[in-house]
Structure formats: C-alpha cells, structure tokens
Amino acid sequence: MRLLAIIIALTGLIYAPVVNLGFVSDDNGLIVNATTGVASHTVLSVFHQDLWHFQDSQSGYYRPLMMLSLLFDSAVFGDWAGGYHLHSLAWHLLVVFLLGRLLGSVFDPTRGAIAAAVYAVHPLVTESVCFISARNDSMALAFGFLAVLLASPRNSGSTRLVAGTVCACASLLAKENGLIVLLLLPLIDWAEERTERGWHRHAALAIGAFCALFVRQIVGPGLHHAPPLDAAQLVSESKLAVVGTMIAKIPWPVPLTDSLHIAYLNPVNLPALAAAALFVFYTAVFGGRWGRVGLVFFCAAIVPGVIAVASRFLIGERYLVMPLIGLIISFAAVCPASKRLPWALVLMTPLAAVSHERIRDWTSDLTLAESAYTQHQTPYTAAWYGHELAATQRISEALPLLNEATAGHPPTCAFAAEWIHAERVVNGPKAAIEAAQTVWERRCAPGPGVRGAWAQALLESGDVSGADALLTPRPATCDRSLATAMVTLHSLLNDVDEAQRCAEEAGIPPEQLWAEVEALSDRSRRAASN
C-alpha cells in the first residue's frame, strides 16, 4: 500500500500542470457553448439524449454519467477550466489506485503497484487525463474495476454484490466499453482455476450491465442507437495497417497525437510491432494463465477501439487505453517477485517525462493542432492547424497550411473555403478567385462553404455575372455559408423578396448579416465601376 500511495502521489505531481489547461475540441460543444453546453442540461435531460444530440447527425454515443460529472463541475467551478481538469485527474488517480489494488490482490502488492505505475505514466493515457471530454474512459475503468473488486471474493456478501451491481451499471453508463472491464471477473476465476465459481457473483455484474442497457433503451435513445461507421470501408481496405498501427503504438506511442487520420497512415512501425509480438509470445508462454488473461482482455478491448476508428477516421490515443490494461495485466504476470522490484520505477522515468511534456499540448485548440502537425505532417493536420491559426487572426501563417491541405493525396477539403476567404482578406479577391479555381482543380469544390466563399470573391471583384452563374441553379435553402453571397447577389440584382427570404433562412443575426451584405455590396459596386 505504501508503494502504491507513493506512485499515486508522484502521478499527481506529474499531472499537476493540468490545472493550467483550457477547454479544447469537443469541450467547446459539450461545455462552453451556451446553447449546447452542459449549462443547458438538467440531471434528467442527460439521461434522455445522445451525447451529441444537437448535431445534424447524432453520434450514437450515450454517456449520461460523464455528462452528470460535467454538470457537477459547472455548478462547482463555473467557467474555470482548471477545476474540470482537476476533477478528471482525480478519476485517473482513482483508476491507478483501483488497478493497483486489483492486481495486488491476485499477484502481490508490489507487482500490482508497479503495473499500476505503468498505466499511471504511459503517454497514451494523457488524452484521457488532459481532455475533459475524454474523462469517460477513466470513469468507465474506475467503476468497472470497483465492480470486479467487490464481486471477486468467492464469499462476497449481498451488500458487496449490490454495490458491485451498481458499479457495473455505472461503468456502462459512463462509456459503453465498460462492458469489457466486467469480463475481468470470469477471467480471474479461470486464471485462479476456481472449482466453485460462485455464479451469483457473475449474476450481480450481469444484472448491472442489463440495468445500463435497460436505461439506454427505456430512458435514453435506444439500443439500436449506434455510432455511424462512416470510415468502415476505409478501415476494411487498410485493416492490417490500422490494427498494426494501433498495436505498435502501445510499446512506442509515436507519433503522439490524437489526430492520426487513417487516410494518411505512415508505414507500420515494424520494430515496435515486433516488440509487441515478442511480448505477447513471451507472456503467453511464460506468464501462465494470468499472462493469457491479459492477452484475452487486450484482444477484447481493441475491438471497440477499431469500431471508434471506423466511426471517426482517427486513431485516438484514448482508444488504446483499455487494450493497454490487458498488456499491463500480462506484464504483471511475468514480473519477478523480488524485493528489488520497486527500483523498476526508475525505468519508467522516460514515460513520465514524455507524459509530462505532452500536457502542454492540451492548453488550447491552437497548441493541440500545432502539436498534431509537428508530430505528423499530413493534409489533415495541416488543415486543422491552418484553421486554428486563422481563428486566432494569424491568417498569413494559415495560408500555406490551408493550401497544403487541399494539395494532399487525398486532399483534405474541410477548410478549403477558409483558404479562399483567407486569400481574400490578405491578398484580395483576385488571389481568392485563383485559390477557388485551384480548389476546383483539386476536387475540393464540394467542400463545405466553398461555393459561398468563391461567390463572395467574385462579387468583391465586381464580377456579378460570374457570381450569378456560380450560384445557378439557386440552392433550395440559404445556409450560413451561402447567405452573405446570396443576399448580396439578390440585392445587387434588385430581387428584394429573394434577398429577404434568404436572410430569414440563414440563421445569422440580422444585424450581422445585413452589415456584411452592405459592405460586400459597396466593394462590388466600386470594383465594377473601376
């Protein structure tokens, strides 16, 4: 226990800088935004809704307990991001403690503590600690480990089993792959060759899992509500590269980024993959049943990770946290029982240093995007970094990155419209029109907002007929990306009724929209007269 307490204290010191981090990425939609963020929710509403219920297409993720934890943070910390991060760190430290206790109970306390230390400082875990919206990984693990600890003794009483049932339910309501953690109980029984299985213990956890599914079906969005697998075909076509990259990142987590897009994967790191294969072979042969338990858990845990990749196109670090637990169990199985084993903590110093250095990347969206581009220069990370630079008014720096994004193979077209807009702001409408033509040649014209940005450049250059041709046939509805160009064009053509209709459909505050329209109309008239 003393060694485990020291490890927890050191982990807290390593991650102490999280108090200085801000809100990033998904945090903006789930926490910060006044309309969609946690402040707009109630305790009851989080149990009824998809995690991303406010998007056009819902995510298929149901995480009510994580949203409850964010409601708590909102009530206690308000808009202070540091408080949210300290709460996430507390969950991480709880997982380290419970993992140490669980493995200490089946091996010995020293080996359990050393194995927990590997998890505590492994660089792949930093995303779950530093990214508030990824807190659900730690929550699912904590509740799952606690459920297994409560139900593990063969003579577990009714009070322990009821508590285990509640924790099992909570694990799945924090994140769906909490179900994988509950598999540890039958695996423990198999590893210890228990003749009296005590099926009531397994029934307790099964009831907890069933209760979570019942809540999802009756109160939540339903059991058939699943993530859309938009990248399934791409994963299928490159499945060996995807799975090989995921496995290789556990022993060698480079590039250390949450934005490893599967369309731009580097060749699999063969030395790291060979090291992982050697470790698997060694633990399978010399780790006994416990070594194989870890490998079975690893194989089961990597499946939800592959599904998440097929949903989001990205190999996120947090998708490897649960498979990492499986290999840590196998690692504990082959660790020698020695009084000198605590000195192995010294060997973890490089892992701790990398994790500590990684924390600063999560300071803001800009630092996160910069780190992603530095670690893995691809059209995807170039587009993201360029977008964040433009958002902070560093538009000149964003231009080459946004150009690079559309020049890739395949191109990343998500922010092609921003490149056109940035060229118009920095170099004028002629440069923007040239950029738009390049976007067309690179087959990024269908990208979001490209048509509207191109039309604005044409209007600003005085080419009203060109903008009219580009916007013909007229779109069925005037969305935000087209509104300024469409309303300006209709105004210049004296089609007042269409201009008014488009303005009403746009969903942009009228004062803002008409100010933009008036400014663009004036520039268009001046350019035409010259």
Side-chain angles (χ1 to χ4, degrees):
M1 278 294 290
R2 181 182 298 177
L3 180 60
L4 183 58
I6 292 172
I7 289 169
I8 291 172
L10 291 175
T11 304
L13 288 175
I14 291 167
Y15 278 104
V18 298
V19 73
N20 299 316
L21 301 181
F23 298 112
V24 300
S25 189
D26 294 352
D27 297 342
N28 295 305
L30 295 177
I31 302 171
V32 178
N33 189 287
T35 304
T36 64
V38 69
S40 65
H41 294 285
T42 65
V43 172
L44 292 179
S45 70
V46 299
F47 282 91
H48 290 292
Q49 297 168 336
D50 177 275
L51 182 65
W52 292 97
H53 63 279
F54 47 85
Q55 291 185 334
D56 292 337
S57 59
Q58 297 191 15
S59 66
Y61 298 131
Y62 182 59
R63 313 279 165 77
L65 283 197
M66 187 196 76
M67 292 304 297
L68 278 181
S69 76
L70 296 181
L71 271 174
F72 171 83
D73 289 347
S74 178
V76 175
F77 304 117
D79 59 358
W80 179 46
Y84 289 75
H85 285 290
L86 289 175
H87 187 179
S88 295
L89 176 57
W91 281 105
H92 176 61
L93 297 179
L94 179 59
V95 171
V96 174
F97 171 75
L98 293 172
L99 179 60
R101 287 295 303 271
L102 179 62
L103 296 183
S105 67
V106 297
F107 298 114
D108 60 71
T110 300
R111 279 198 286 175
I114 295 298
V118 176
Y119 175 82
V121 300
H122 198 287
L124 289 178
V125 184
T126 54
E127 182 176 359
S128 297
V129 184
C130 301
F131 185 19
I132 299 169
S133 296
R135 175 191 298 170
N136 45 22
D137 290 288
S138 296
M139 294 180 68
L141 283 170
F143 283 121
F145 287 155
L146 189 55
V148 173
L149 277 167
L150 288 167
S152 184
R154 277 170 285 190
N155 58 349
S156 297
S158 57
T159 302
R160 290 179 66 99
L161 293 180
V162 170
T165 299
V166 172
C167 289
C169 180
S171 183
L172 270 72
L173 292 178
K175 190 173 183 179
E176 295 84 350
N177 63 0
L179 182 65
I180 303 296
V181 188
L182 305 184
L183 293 178
L184 281 173
L185 184 61
L187 289 174
I188 288 173
D189 282 359
W190 177 79
E192 295 186 345
E193 301 183 68
R194 294 179 175 179
T195 54
E196 297 180 4
R197 300 287 174 141
W199 293 110
H200 61 293
R201 298 155 46 248
H202 300 274
L205 300 196
I207 291 171
F210 175 80
C211 288
L213 297 176
F214 180 83
V215 170
R216 184 185 181 110
Q217 174 64 29
I218 302 301
V219 182
L223 293 177
H224 295 292
H225 189 71
L229 303 181
D230 296 332
Q233 182 176 352
L234 189 55
V235 169
S236 177
E237 291 171 356
S238 54
K239 52 184 172 289
L240 293 179
V242 170
V243 176
T245 298
M246 294 177 72
I247 295 173
K249 278 180 71 70
I250 294 179
W252 189 255
V254 176
L256 193 56
T257 172
D258 67 323
S259 301
L260 198 61
H261 198 290
I262 58 175
Y264 308 107
L265 289 179
N266 291 332
V268 176
N269 187 330
L270 293 180
L273 188 61
L278 182 62
F279 176 82
V280 167
F281 175 78
Y282 183 83
T283 54
V285 174
F286 299 103
R289 288 199 170 201
W290 275 109
R292 292 167 209 142
V293 161
L295 298 180
V296 170
F297 188 88
F298 167 81
C299 292
I302 206 166
V303 172
V306 174
I307 294 173
V309 172
S311 174
R312 298 197 62 215
F313 290 88
L314 301 175
I315 299 178
E317 297 159 14
R318 62 185 181 276
Y319 304 153
L320 299 172
V321 166
M322 206 163 282
L324 174 64
I325 294 289
L327 296 188
I328 285 174
I329 294 172
S330 295
F331 168 75
V334 295
C335 270
S338 170
K339 292 182 179 180
R340 297 181 179 180
L341 188 58
W343 287 103
L345 290 176
V346 177
L347 300 178
M348 297 178 200
T349 303
L351 292 178
V354 172
S355 295
H356 182 75
E357 186 68 18
R358 172 70 168 147
I359 294 171
R360 70 176 67 181
D361 294 341
W362 295 90
T363 302
S364 67
D365 284 321
L366 179 59
T367 58
L368 192 58
E370 181 181 15
S371 169
Y373 181 71
T374 303
Q375 289 280 333
H376 194 226
Q377 294 187 13
T378 67
Y380 178 82
T381 55
W384 182 23
Y385 188 24
H387 166 72
E388 295 300 339
L389 285 169
T392 55
Q393 303 306 310
R394 294 164 61 180
I395 300 177
S396 296
E397 297 175 60
L399 286 175
L401 291 163
L402 296 172
N403 183 2
E404 178 185 338
T406 61
H409 300 285
T412 294
C413 302
F415 299 119
E418 285 196 24
W419 179 30
I420 299 170
H421 174 73
E423 287 285 3
R424 183 165 64 88
V425 171
V426 175
N427 299 316
K430 290 185 178 179
I433 293 169
E434 290 177 4
Q437 291 168 342
T438 303
V439 165
W440 176 274
E441 293 166 2
R442 293 172 179 174
R443 301 186 178 182
C444 277
V450 168
R451 198 176 175 193
W454 193 346
Q456 285 191 50
L458 288 168
L459 287 169
E460 187 165 336
S461 70
D463 187 0
V464 177
S465 60
D468 189 19
L470 181 64
L471 295 174
T472 301
R474 299 287 191 258
T477 57
C478 285
D479 61 29
R480 298 176 71 94
S481 67
L482 289 168
T484 301
M486 287 290 295
V487 175
T488 302
L489 178 62
H490 287 308
S491 298
L492 292 171
L493 297 176
N494 296 316
D495 193 346
V496 178
D497 292 339
E498 280 299 308
Q500 188 62 41
R501 181 190 66 81
C502 185
E504 291 173 355
E505 290 179 352
I508 302 175
E511 301 83 3
Q512 176 188 338
L513 176 59
W514 286 107
E516 293 174 0
V517 168
E518 185 176 350
L520 183 56
S521 298
D522 288 343
R523 291 195 296 270
S524 182
R525 291 189 187 99
R526 286 198 301 269
S529 64
N530 292 333

